[in-house]
């Protein structure tokens, strides 16, 4: 138990024991981790505030910053590069052994609540957190008005294979949602898409 708590970074003094003789069970530890994740999601900082003036678009809050002449040139060159040079994808490895162990141990708890717990919600949450910390990646360039639009929201599309082809529904405001909320929305969206009701 102590080893698992150490791996998960849990201070056992904060876990409420329910086992015989006031002992902490694996279920107590999992419940504590689940509760903590929910609390962290609810109180997580909004991330770095990008530069620019506040505004809104069709999906939520944005901030608009005028492009410097240098950035205008970079943007034009990147667009030209994108249309004239083959793109490549980079893959990195990450050791998610402990995360996968925790997910496997929590699957039954989530299933009891009608939620299928796959690895995808964790990947989405990690991407959302990275986008909040690096707003330049969650931005778009408007060359017509020579400005950058930094998104203050994080919406992530997920690919769903259907008989009619690949559909990409969007999970909105994922940076503000817990793992269980994301997992539940993935199930709901995928079901809606596969039933042809999207």
């Amino acid at each position: 138990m102590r080893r698992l708590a150490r791996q998960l970074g849990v201070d056992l003094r904060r876990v409420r024991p329910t086992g015989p003789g006031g002992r902490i069970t694996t279920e107590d530890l999992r419940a504590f981790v689940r509760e903590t994740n929910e609390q962290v999601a609810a109180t997580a900082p909004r991330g770095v505030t990008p530069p620019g003036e506040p505004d809104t678009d069709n999906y939520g809050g944005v901030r608009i910053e005028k492009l410097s002449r240098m950035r205008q040139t970079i943007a034009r060159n990147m667009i030209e590069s994108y249309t004239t040079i083959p793109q490549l994808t980079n893959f990195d490895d990450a050791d998610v052994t402990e995360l996968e162990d925790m997910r496997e141990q929590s699957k039954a708890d989530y299933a009891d609540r009608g939620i299928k717990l796959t690895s995808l919600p964790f990947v989405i949450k990690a991407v959302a957190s990275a986008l909040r910390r690096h707003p330049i990646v969650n931005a778009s360039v408007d060359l017509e008005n020579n400005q950058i639009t930094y998104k203050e929201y994080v919406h992530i599309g997920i690919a769903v294979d259907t008989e009619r082809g690949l559909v990409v529904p969007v999970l909105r405001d994922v940076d503000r949602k817990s793992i269980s909320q994301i997992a539940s929305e993935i199930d709901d969206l995928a079901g809606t898409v596969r039933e042809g009701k999207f």
Side-chain angles (χ1 to χ4, degrees):
M1 185 61 60
R2 291 184 189 282
R3 183 168 180 246
L4 179 60
R6 222 178 9 259
Q7 288 173 341
L8 296 173
V10 173
D11 180 357
L12 286 174
R13 294 174 294 188
R14 297 181 57 208
V15 180
R16 189 171 58 83
T18 62
R23 293 186 180 201
I24 296 172
T25 66
T26 304
E27 179 52 41
D28 295 335
L29 193 56
R30 288 194 318 207
F32 177 81
V33 169
R34 230 183 359 265
E35 235 175 72
T36 303
N37 283 342
E38 301 290 333
Q39 290 170 356
V40 167
T43 60
R46 303 259 316 170
V48 177
T49 302
E53 295 298 316
D55 202 346
T56 58
D57 66 8
N58 293 337
Y59 307 103
V62 299
R63 296 182 73 85
I64 306 292
E65 178 186 32
K66 283 290 182 191
L67 282 172
S68 67
R69 292 181 79 59
M70 174 68 84
R71 284 196 176 260
Q72 290 176 43
T73 303
I74 291 169
R76 273 192 295 277
N77 289 340
M78 287 185 73
I79 289 170
E80 182 180 344
S81 165
Y82 185 80
T83 59
T84 59
I85 299 172
Q87 302 303 296
L88 82 106
T89 302
N90 180 59
F91 291 94
D92 290 308
D93 292 328
D95 183 357
V96 294
T97 306
E98 292 175 21
L99 174 65
E100 187 59 19
D101 289 344
M102 187 180 75
R103 185 188 72 79
E104 281 294 332
Q105 293 171 9
S106 300
K107 275 170 65 170
D109 298 332
Y110 279 81
D112 290 344
R113 295 174 9 203
I115 300 171
K116 183 179 179 185
L117 186 62
T118 65
S119 299
L120 185 57
F122 295 98
V123 172
I124 290 172
K125 189 66 177 176
V127 170
S129 296
L131 289 172
R132 292 301 292 169
R133 286 185 180 87
H134 304 282
I136 190 66
V137 183
N138 193 27
S140 58
V141 174
D142 180 353
L143 287 177
E144 205 171 286
N145 294 303
N146 294 322
Q147 62 190 22
I148 300 174
T149 301
Y150 296 94
K151 308 318 194 268
E152 291 186 323
Y153 48 84
V154 178
H155 302 334
I156 296 180
I158 58 166
V160 178
D161 192 20
T162 72
E163 292 176 1
R164 297 163 67 190
L166 195 64
V167 177
V168 184
V170 176
L171 296 168
R172 301 197 181 281
D173 300 311
V174 288
D175 57 318
R176 299 180 194 155
K177 293 179 179 164
S178 67
I179 294 295
S180 61
Q181 289 172 313
I182 294 169
S184 181
E185 280 192 36
I186 289 170
D187 279 351
D188 292 346
L189 272 177
T192 304
V193 168
R194 289 192 178 111
E195 291 165 13
K197 298 177 181 173
F198 186 70

